[in-house]
Amino acid sequence: MSNELDDRLRASGKRMTVQRRLVMDALQRARHHVTAEDIATRIRARHPQIDPSTVYRNLGALEELGYVTHTHFDDRVTRWHRADAQRHGHLVCRTCGAEQELPIGLLEPLARRLRDDHGFRADLAHSAIVGICKTCSNVSSD
Amino acid sequence: MSNELDDRLRASGKRMTVQRRLVMDALQRARHHVTAEDIATRIRARHPQIDPSTVYRNLGALEELGYVTHTHFDDRVTRWHRADAQRHGHLVCRTCGAEQELPIGLLEPLARRLRDDHGFRADLAHSAIVGICKTCSNVSSD
DNA sequence: TGGCTTATCGCAACCAGTCGCAATAGTGAT
DNA sequence: ATCACTATTGCGACTGGTTGCGATAAGCCA
């Protein structure tokens, strides 16, 4: 009963453990970006013996394999999601905290410019872009 | 013996304390981006009774007044610098950690686009742009 | 100068996340 | 099915940073 994830894990010298499977399952079920803390809490509700540090380490391992990705928002927690979800950027308002997704295409011209001018292959989806959203902009200019 | 910083502090209901002054002085002397930890260590070398948390709180207070700014790098460490320094973006390589400054003008087209299309006033200097630098790119494609 | 208000301080506890270590348990080979 | 190898685990200590709290001291007015 091995599947593709099992095989790719083994192919890279990694192993499939119950803990790893639980982290993967939790990410499958989570529709949106979740924190490692969220995942740990969810898993520990049923399997309290699983240590949070194991969850962190597994997120890292699954990321190495390209199964999951993380994004930094403006607060200091990292959020995780499956890598097969559509890539997109993030806007987050520093005043009200509102978050907004952004088609990745909008960031493409800058990425191209950085690649052409600096030889730098940028991952513009990795960190949210912070600023002031339209609503907060209007309020403060009254 | 009050100066402009004193006045602006008081005008906003804040106070000038020795701790605050020491943080400001440390930032004046630091040419580049420094971590809060750096500043705390430097100050505590002479004034060991000053708590690190006080340094963090003062950086925040000075930021509210527009005297200092912070930038997030990829290691999640926050670095601080005086706000009067020239604004610029940052590239950081996720493989070798190399950092590179970037003229802010390069980011301007994206900022304009976000403002026009989404009413979002982006601060593109706030988070470093992570990716793979030219050198690491060449190595991995050998 | 002395007194009042309250911003700020030092401290200790806490939060998100990382790391070293000895014990455990996947994995491939026999 | 067993074995040896070593990736992974749970645990506890630690890091950079934040927060609640009672004590201290700026700033303002008399």
Side-chain angles (χ1 to χ4, degrees):
Chain A
M1 54 161 275
S2 65
N3 58 23
E4 198 221 330
L5 174 54
D6 281 46
D7 295 342
R8 285 196 37 193
L9 276 169
R10 280 195 297 271
S12 67
K14 296 193 192 307
R15 297 171 184 178
M16 176 49 82
T17 64
V18 280
Q19 293 86 339
R20 198 100 91 194
R21 172 100 50 210
L22 285 167
V23 170
M24 199 64 199
D25 287 353
L27 278 165
Q28 297 288 359
R29 265 195 298 280
R31 265 187 225 80
H32 310 292
H33 309 73
V34 286
T35 66
E37 189 84 16
D38 287 339
I39 296 172
T41 307
R42 231 165 280 179
I43 291 178
R44 283 163 61 84
R46 281 175 178 282
H47 310 268
Q49 75 284 9
I50 293 179
D51 196 84
S53 70
T54 298
V55 173
Y56 285 102
R57 281 192 278 226
N58 275 322
L59 286 168
L62 292 168
E63 183 168 48
E64 275 177 42
L65 270 118
Y67 272 82
V68 309
T69 318
H70 73 269
T71 304
H72 299 292
F73 283 72
D74 195 36
D75 52 18
R76 53 192 203 90
V77 306
T78 302
R79 307 243 218 110
W80 298 82
H81 56 95
R82 297 204 313 280
D84 55 10
Q86 207 195 340
R87 263 173 64 79
H88 53 265
H90 299 270
L91 299 181
V92 39
C93 175
R94 94 168 11 134
T95 303
C96 68
E99 290 166 14
Q100 196 178 150
E101 297 197 353
L102 204 62
I104 196 79
L106 211 76
L107 306 175
E108 198 34 53
L110 174 57
R112 190 173 319 115
R113 183 90 194 271
L114 292 172
R115 196 164 53 243
D116 295 349
D117 294 8
H118 299 262
F120 188 90
R121 296 191 287 127
D123 175 7
L124 292 171
H126 186 70
S127 291
I129 296 175
V130 326
I132 314 280
C133 75
K134 188 186 237 164
T135 315
C136 290
S137 231
N138 292 339
V139 169
S140 62
S141 65
D142 279 346
Chain B
M1 55 162 272
S2 64
N3 59 24
E4 197 221 331
L5 175 54
D6 280 46
D7 294 342
R8 285 197 36 194
L9 277 168
R10 280 196 296 273
S12 67
K14 297 192 192 307
R15 296 170 185 178
M16 176 50 81
T17 64
V18 282
Q19 293 86 342
R20 196 101 91 195
R21 171 103 47 211
L22 286 167
V23 169
M24 199 65 198
D25 288 353
L27 279 165
Q28 296 289 359
R29 265 195 299 279
R31 264 186 227 81
H32 311 292
H33 310 72
V34 286
T35 65
E37 189 84 15
D38 288 339
I39 297 172
T41 307
R42 232 165 281 179
I43 292 178
R44 283 162 62 84
R46 281 174 177 282
H47 309 268
Q49 76 284 9
I50 293 180
D51 197 83
S53 69
T54 297
V55 173
Y56 286 103
R57 282 192 275 225
N58 275 321
L59 286 168
L62 291 168
E63 184 168 48
E64 276 177 41
L65 270 117
Y67 272 82
V68 309
T69 318
H70 72 269
T71 304
H72 298 291
F73 284 73
D74 194 36
D75 50 14
R76 298 271 66 204
V77 174
T78 302
R79 308 247 213 104
W80 298 81
H81 55 95
R82 298 205 312 282
D84 55 11
Q86 207 195 340
R87 264 173 63 81
H88 52 265
H90 299 269
L91 298 181
V92 38
C93 175
R94 94 169 9 134
T95 302
C96 68
E99 291 166 16
Q100 196 178 150
E101 299 197 352
L102 204 61
I104 195 79
L106 211 76
L107 306 174
E108 197 35 51
L110 174 56
R112 191 173 319 116
R113 183 92 194 268
L114 292 172
R115 198 164 52 243
D116 295 349
D117 294 8
H118 298 263
F120 188 89
R121 295 190 289 128
D123 175 6
L124 292 171
H126 186 70
S127 290
I129 295 175
V130 326
I132 315 280
C133 75
K134 187 186 238 163
T135 315
C136 291
S137 231
N138 292 339
V139 168
S140 63
S141 66
D142 278 348

